[in-house]
Amino acid sequence: MNIELVDTDARLRDVLAEGEGCAAVMVDTEFMRRNTYYPKVGLLQLCFDHDDGEEGHAWLIDPLALEDTAPIRDLLTDPAVVKVLHSASEDLEVFQHWLGVLPQPLFDTQRAAGLLDIGFGVGYRALVHDITGIDLPKDETRSDWLQRPLSDAQCEYAAWDVILLLRVWRELRQRAVQQNKYDWIVADGADAVAALQEGPANFHQRLKGAWKLRPRQLAALAALCRWREQTARDRDKPRGWIIDDRACLQLAEAEPRNEAQLNAAAELHPAARRRWGKQILQLLAEQRDLPPSEYPEALPQPLGARQRSELKKLKGRARDIAVDLAVAPEALMQSRDYELLLREAAGERV
């Protein structure tokens, strides 16, 4: 296996020049995300497909040693080069925060496996074994990728990820072309990129039980969730380190007006109460002054028995369509979208 650690700007430019003319590049990242909101990139792995049947060369790019990352941004956004990743969602977050760009066009081998009816949500090790018969080691899965120097074991582990991804890509590309599904997979990748570019919104809608709140309470919850999200980003800390979901719901429901009521209303960590208590009370006071016209729309109640029966039928119909198309049923539509379809058909606002 050919491996090279690239830790200078000059060598990076040379490596990317060697990859010019390739139709696809295998991409992976190693990162840390234990005590931060944003992922901290520790390594970027590349392997160019020269379409010559050769194994390929693993280029391990050290982001901690680079000053000029523009060549990487240019590669990731080059429309002539397909970027091949497996289960790309977290890698996309890495690129968005680190480089401010997202890889396009994108061929996600996990999503491809679903559309090719190999299996939905297949892990990388399982897919590699299915296609190549090789059992990937997982010794370095929880390794510290921000340490320097990287160990030989870390470098070998990281290199295998893109070397074997090249074999997986070649096989899946062939099957996709044979089944006339290649464009489906690339379009699916474009949808994933577009969804991340739009960014998450309405954080309060994700909290279980939020539908029970009255309109004014829901406005308070929405404001708390927006404040928590921005604070987590500004401080680069997990949102649960600011206040957790349970506390957000408790505060929105109780609408405390002073410190004593705040202490009684929510199970806040003492440090969070000291740091954020006055801000939270001020935020809640502002929401009490909102006119009803500015309250968020009520959230739908859980599906009733009849709707659950309809949902089951809808999923059954989707399975039939999936069989006809030879795709994994889950690849057609996310689970939550079935409920949205039902509610829209019933005239509910969703």
Side-chain angles (χ1 to χ4, degrees):
M1 179 170 54
N2 297 317
I3 308 174
E4 181 180 333
L5 183 64
V6 178
D7 57 5
T8 68
D9 293 339
R11 185 57 183 143
L12 174 64
R13 289 191 294 270
D14 291 341
V15 166
L16 298 187
E18 291 181 32
E20 289 182 0
C22 288
V25 59
M26 312 305 109
V27 182
D28 191 24
T29 65
E30 305 297 344
F31 59 91
M32 305 289 288
R33 196 180 198 170
R34 292 175 181 167
N35 303 320
T36 61
Y37 182 93
Y38 295 107
K40 305 297 183 185
V41 62
L43 195 67
L44 168 67
Q45 303 102 282
L46 302 176
C47 178
F48 293 97
D49 183 8
H50 290 276
D51 207 20
D52 54 9
E54 295 297 322
E55 180 182 63
H57 193 122
W59 305 102
L60 309 184
I61 315 297
D62 184 355
L64 306 187
L66 299 179
E67 294 183 4
D68 182 12
T69 56
I72 303 175
R73 290 196 294 273
D74 292 342
L75 171 66
L76 292 178
T77 56
D78 186 344
V81 182
V82 176
K83 271 61 71 172
V84 183
L85 296 93
H86 182 85
S87 186
S89 59
E90 290 188 304
D91 297 295
L92 295 184
E93 289 187 63
V94 170
F95 291 128
Q96 186 179 55
H97 179 62
W98 173 36
L99 301 173
V101 301
L102 293 169
Q104 300 183 67
L106 170 64
F107 186 106
D108 187 326
T109 54
Q110 185 179 68
R111 296 289 298 172
L115 290 168
L116 296 171
D117 205 18
I118 296 171
F120 183 78
V122 178
Y124 185 59
R125 294 181 71 241
L127 186 59
V128 166
H129 185 268
D130 181 73
I131 289 177
T132 71
I134 295 174
D135 282 316
L136 268 174
K138 54 181 180 179
D139 299 345
E140 301 296 329
T141 303
R142 300 189 180 279
S143 182
D144 182 355
W145 293 100
L146 298 178
Q147 73 171 7
R148 291 297 182 271
L150 295 170
S151 68
D152 291 342
Q154 284 178 302
C155 291
E156 184 173 344
Y157 171 90
W160 273 120
D161 275 351
V162 285
I163 290 293
L164 293 177
L165 186 58
L166 177 59
R167 300 188 197 179
V168 171
W169 146 252
R170 286 170 173 168
E171 176 63 25
L172 295 186
R173 176 187 56 182
Q174 181 178 349
R175 295 189 195 185
V177 170
Q178 290 172 345
Q179 298 178 33
N180 295 317
K181 294 177 180 176
Y182 182 85
D183 289 344
W184 295 11
I185 298 167
V186 174
D188 186 88
D191 288 343
V193 168
L196 191 59
Q197 287 174 325
E198 291 173 3
N202 299 322
F203 302 101
H204 67 286
Q205 295 180 0
R206 305 177 184 180
L207 273 61
K208 187 176 181 179
W211 63 272
K212 299 177 183 178
L213 299 180
R214 298 191 303 273
R216 192 174 75 177
Q217 294 172 326
L218 197 60
L221 180 65
L224 280 167
C225 288
R226 289 193 300 269
W227 165 80
R228 179 180 68 165
E229 194 71 17
Q230 190 59 54
T231 302
R233 293 180 181 185
D234 291 344
R235 296 180 62 83
D236 194 18
K237 295 296 181 184
R239 60 177 64 89
W241 284 33
I242 309 303
I243 57 174
D244 62 23
D245 290 353
R246 180 179 175 83
C248 286
L249 284 165
Q250 290 171 334
L251 290 165
E253 186 173 15
E255 301 180 90
R257 295 171 179 264
N258 54 51
E259 188 173 340
Q261 291 179 357
L262 178 73
N263 293 340
E267 299 171 10
L268 286 173
H269 189 279
R273 189 181 300 115
R274 289 192 301 271
R275 185 185 295 268
W276 311 118
K278 291 182 179 179
Q279 267 187 268
I280 291 172
L281 289 172
Q282 177 62 33
L283 184 68
L284 293 174
E286 292 170 359
Q287 301 314 301
R288 285 194 292 272
D289 293 334
L290 283 179
S293 60
E294 294 186 24
Y295 292 164
E297 292 186 4
L299 299 180
Q301 296 184 17
L303 296 177
R306 183 186 61 80
Q307 290 174 308
R308 291 196 299 272
S309 177
E310 291 298 318
L311 183 66
K312 185 176 180 180
K313 293 177 183 178
L314 183 59
K315 290 184 175 180
R317 176 59 181 143
R319 284 193 296 272
D320 293 339
I321 295 173
V323 170
D324 292 339
L325 295 174
V327 304
E330 300 89 343
L332 288 181
M333 188 183 301
Q334 296 183 41
S335 180
R336 61 183 176 84
D337 289 338
Y338 289 102
E339 182 176 333
L340 291 176
L341 280 178
L342 277 180
R343 293 188 183 280
E344 286 182 349
E348 296 183 32
R349 299 184 68 177
V350 294

